[in-house]
Amino acid sequence: MKLEKPIDILVQRRAAIGDVIMTTGVVRELKRKYGTNANIDIATDFAEPYRNNPHIRNIFPVQQLPDVKDRWDIYYNLDDAYESNPTEHYVDNYFYRAFGKNTLDHSVELFPTDADQTAVDIDLKELGNKFIVVHLRNWHWSAKNISMDIWLEVFGKVFEQRADFKVVCVGGRSDHFVDHPLFLDRRDVYNSQQIKYLCDQAACFVGIDSGPFHCAAASSTHIIGLLTHLRPERIMPQGNHTAITTLEDCAGCNDTQQRPIRQLVCKKTTTPCNNNFDTVAITQAILGQL
């Protein structure tokens, strides 16, 4: 069927970068379903992940949207999809809102430009052909901030056995970095498209649920996910990846938080989950990818 007037579709997910990246598969599958019979627009306050996306027409900040009923034929609001249903996989929640029960491709995607690749290629010459990407997160929601004691113990164990690779730190300026000759600081340097391209060349990505984690999910690299409040089946990307969960008995507490989830309330009050990991398991997972 070829429609004279294409269907205008709006897909909304206000925030944040990782959450928006997780919607990209929905948009791809909508375009695959309708082809040229649909124009797809995005409503978000974090537009960068949709930069260069070939499946969309326009991007609107949420507060600057025209009247939805007057402008679009179909509206998919993905806000609070997983926050209201946290016992299902985050991406599956998005897909169910758009398609109901389905067997579609739930992978996410990003589209680095030639300029994005050129910027990263400069660093790749310095890094050589063996490196890993890590995100030493340090922001709000302390349960998601793996303690530096854990990170330093892991790096120490890894370097005892291998020191023939480098470590690239990505994320924001508030995140942690290790001042060491084998580390390259690229916090606040790469955009999401560039992190994806960097990860395509990396032996693995190591980190917790975050923006860089989901950038890595769009790449071909192996992800070693360090999980505290989330169970692996809620957040790990599709594919053969490695999930390592905190040793605390309350791991996966996100399932029991008040809906829709706006913040994490730790029943132990001190989020000990972020400082209780099997560092040998993390070490072995990294070494297994080098």
Side-chain angles (χ1 to χ4, degrees), residues 15-23 46 49 82 94 108 209-212 214-215:
I17 288 179
D19 298 317
V20 173
I21 292 173
M22 286 191 286
T23 69
F46 289 80
Y82 70 76
Y94 291 152
V108 301
D209 165 42
S210 63
H214 296 290
C215 294

Side-chain angles (χ1 to χ4, degrees), residues 13 18-19 21-23 26 78 80-97 102 104-108 209 213-214 217 223 227 230-239 241 243 254-255 259:
R13 175 71 202 198
D19 298 317
I21 292 173
M22 286 191 286
T23 69
V26 169
L78 303 184
D80 280 344
Y82 70 76
E83 289 91 341
S84 299
N85 301 281
T87 58
E88 301 294 334
H89 193 283
Y90 282 15
V91 175
D92 292 350
N93 269 301
Y94 291 152
F95 270 81
Y96 192 81
R97 277 204 180 183
N102 67 89
L104 298 169
D105 176 8
H106 288 202
S107 64
V108 301
D209 165 42
F213 176 97
H214 296 290
I223 294 175
L227 305 181
L230 291 174
R231 300 181 186 277
E233 59 269 28
R234 310 290 185 248
I235 196 63
M236 290 299 292
Q238 67 176 35
H241 300 292
N254 198 67
D255 283 6
R259 277 74 154 159

Side-chain angles (χ1 to χ4, degrees), residues 8-17 19-21 23-24 26-27 30 39-51 53 55-68 71-72 74-80 94 97:
D8 289 322
I9 299 174
L10 179 67
V11 178
Q12 176 173 316
R13 175 71 202 198
R14 188 191 67 80
I17 288 179
D19 298 317
V20 173
I21 292 173
T23 69
T24 58
V26 169
V27 170
L30 284 170
N39 297 314
I40 303 175
D41 295 328
I42 303 298
T44 183
D45 292 340
F46 289 80
E48 208 280 329
Y50 273 102
R51 181 172 56 86
N53 191 297
H55 310 307
I56 70 169
R57 178 177 58 182
N58 296 312
I59 303 174
F60 296 90
V62 172
Q63 296 303 318
Q64 297 178 25
L65 275 176
D67 187 86
V68 172
R71 181 72 177 267
W72 289 278
I74 302 174
Y75 172 45
Y76 295 107
N77 183 1
L78 303 184
D79 288 336
D80 280 344
Y94 291 152
R97 277 204 180 183

